Every structure is written in structure tokens, then in C-alpha cells.
Amino acid sequence: QQQVKQSPQSLIVQKGGISIINCAYENTAFDYFPWYQQFPGKGPALLIAIRPDVSEKKEGRFTISFNKSAKQFSLHIMDSQPGDSATYFCAASPNSGGYQKVTFGIGTKLQVIP
Amino acid sequence: NAGVTQTPKFRVLKTGQSMTLLCAQDMNHEYMYWYRQDPGMGLRLIHYSVGEGTTAKGEVPDGYNVSRLKKQNFLLGLESAAPSQTSVYFCASSLSDSQLAGGRKQFFGPGTRLTVL
């Protein structure tokens, strides 16, 4: 059972375009929603994260949009660059029952072509 | 700071063999985790530890054991390897206080690619 559903599994975007990755969750106990970026042969690294008390968080070219009522959140990469080519994972963790239990989406492989 | 390191980077086992993966962190983090990464499955939590001497089961614990004898080390053991355990294994660590800024940020190691024949 996939508690965090991520789409698409792969994405090709032209340089300068906007990359959008979507995630949906079911567990209303989730209260922390990070996005991790993983380059080939490396471990994931935290990119940006949001809590449900805000609807949007922006860090440079990366923005998380959060819709609590729809239980959906998305990552937008503005002005996508070839260096952004990586696999992106959305994730969620609860505020009770062990916040250490992070649930990850299946990942989106992003390719930004020149 | 080396961050999170994992040993070995690659390993090939035959079915039924045993091995131990070592994870070490130098950030004085209380919490440590073991994940496996498989195509189309994302990252799945195997076991985790909230402190020295403690361990707990994650989402996919069967076939694995762990130990946290020292705060900086977290070991993952496979007693009798099976082809289904072919995967990339990641260790991670984090602070213990979720209320701190960045308290839930997990720091990942570079991974161990394990093949079981």
C-alpha cells in the first residue's frame, strides 16, 4: 500500500522550462513533507521541506505548493537547468507514532535537455 | 566532517551467505536509519534506531537484523541472503528533536549496492 503517491515516474523538460512533480498522501497524521534530490550514484539529499501550516514555500528556483484539503503537494522547479537532472522523491512523516518513520514516494527521474 | 559513511560500497553474495553493512556518522545524531532502494519502489525503511542500544522495525524488516552498540555506528546484518535482497542500501541519520529547525532532516550516506546471486 503506497501511502505517498508520486507522479510522474519520469519527466523530460527543456532547459528554461518548469518541472512539476506531484504527490498525494492519505494519512492525515503526516505533518512534515520534504523533497529529496538524488544524483546517480549518490545518496538522497534534502532539497526543501514544508509543514502543513503554510501553502507554499520557495527556495531559489524550487517551490513546494501544499493543498491540505486535497492532501496533495507538488514541487515546481522554475527555469530548469541540465544540472537539475536527478531523481526527486517526495516524502511525508507523522507527528505521532514516530516521526522517524518517513514514507517516500517512488521517485521521479527528471531529465532537463539543453 | 565526513557526514554519513557506508562500508562496503559494493558487494556480491551467494544465496545463503551472510554479511554486515556498516554505517558511521560523525554528526552526533541520535537517530539512524537503514533504507533499501529498488526501482519503482522508492526508499523503504528497514530498521531504525532512536539512540544507542535501541532499534525498531520499519516497513520491510524481514530478513534483516540491526545493532546500535555505539551512538555513531549502525550495523545492518543479513543472516542468510536471498536474491530478493538485491538492492541499494542507504543509511541515514538525523537529530532527535523534531521541533528544531531542520530537526527532521535526514542525512544520507552514499549507499551500498548489494547483489545476491
Side-chain angles (χ1 to χ4, degrees):
Chain A
Q1 184 180 359
Q2 199 177 334
Q3 290 196 55
V4 178
K5 296 183 179 180
Q6 182 172 351
S7 64
Q9 288 194 45
S10 63
L11 182 62
I12 299 175
V13 173
Q14 288 227 304
K15 179 182 175 182
I18 302 174
S19 304
I20 301 174
I21 304 170
N22 300 301
C23 285
Y25 64 98
E26 299 173 359
N27 188 348
T28 54
F30 288 151
D31 76 333
Y32 175 72
F33 302 89
W35 285 88
Y36 283 82
Q37 179 187 54
Q38 183 182 29
F39 292 106
K42 305 292 185 183
L46 181 67
L47 183 64
I48 186 172
I50 196 168
R51 292 185 187 262
D53 52 346
V54 296
S55 61
E56 185 175 282
K57 184 174 182 180
K58 184 176 181 180
E59 289 184 4
R61 295 184 294 107
F62 300 91
T63 300
I64 300 178
S65 297
F66 187 83
N67 185 329
K68 188 174 181 179
S69 61
K71 291 187 282 186
Q72 295 175 346
F73 58 110
S74 60
L75 177 69
H76 296 236
I77 305 175
M78 311 300 288
D79 186 26
S80 299
Q81 299 297 312
D84 297 329
S85 297
T87 299
Y88 293 81
F89 293 95
C90 63
S93 70
N95 57 358
S96 61
Y99 79 86
Q100 307 85 1
K101 294 183 180 178
V102 179
T103 301
F104 286 83
I106 63 172
T108 297
K109 187 173 183 179
L110 170 66
Q111 184 181 358
V112 181
I113 55 177
Chain B
N1 276 355
V4 179
T5 58
Q6 293 183 232
T7 309
K9 288 185 169 51
F10 303 93
R11 187 71 186 268
V12 178
L13 289 179
K14 293 182 179 179
T15 297
Q17 288 185 319
S18 64
M19 77 163 294
T20 300
L21 281 67
L22 172 64
C23 175
Q25 53 95 3
D26 62 1
M27 296 173 283
N28 202 34
H29 285 168
E30 287 291 334
Y31 294 171
M32 296 187 74
Y33 316 80
W34 276 107
Y35 293 91
R36 59 177 291 172
Q37 182 177 21
D38 303 289
M41 304 289 285
L43 290 150
R44 292 180 293 169
L45 183 64
I46 304 172
H47 286 281
Y48 65 98
S49 168
V50 299
E52 183 178 317
T54 72
T55 62
K57 294 180 180 180
E59 182 185 353
V60 288
D62 294 342
Y64 305 95
N65 57 76
V66 288
S67 64
R68 183 99 181 268
L69 298 180
K70 293 183 179 180
K71 185 177 182 179
Q72 63 268 34
N73 295 337
F74 195 27
L75 279 63
L76 178 71
L78 286 73
E79 290 186 350
S80 180
S84 60
Q85 294 177 304
T86 292
S87 186
V88 181
Y89 291 86
F90 287 100
C91 176
S93 70
S94 70
L95 291 169
S96 60
D97 190 339
S98 66
Q99 300 308 312
L100 287 175
R104 293 206 197 176
K105 176 180 178 179
Q106 294 194 9
F107 295 79
F108 283 81
T112 294
R113 185 173 293 275
L114 175 66
T115 301
V116 183
L117 303 175

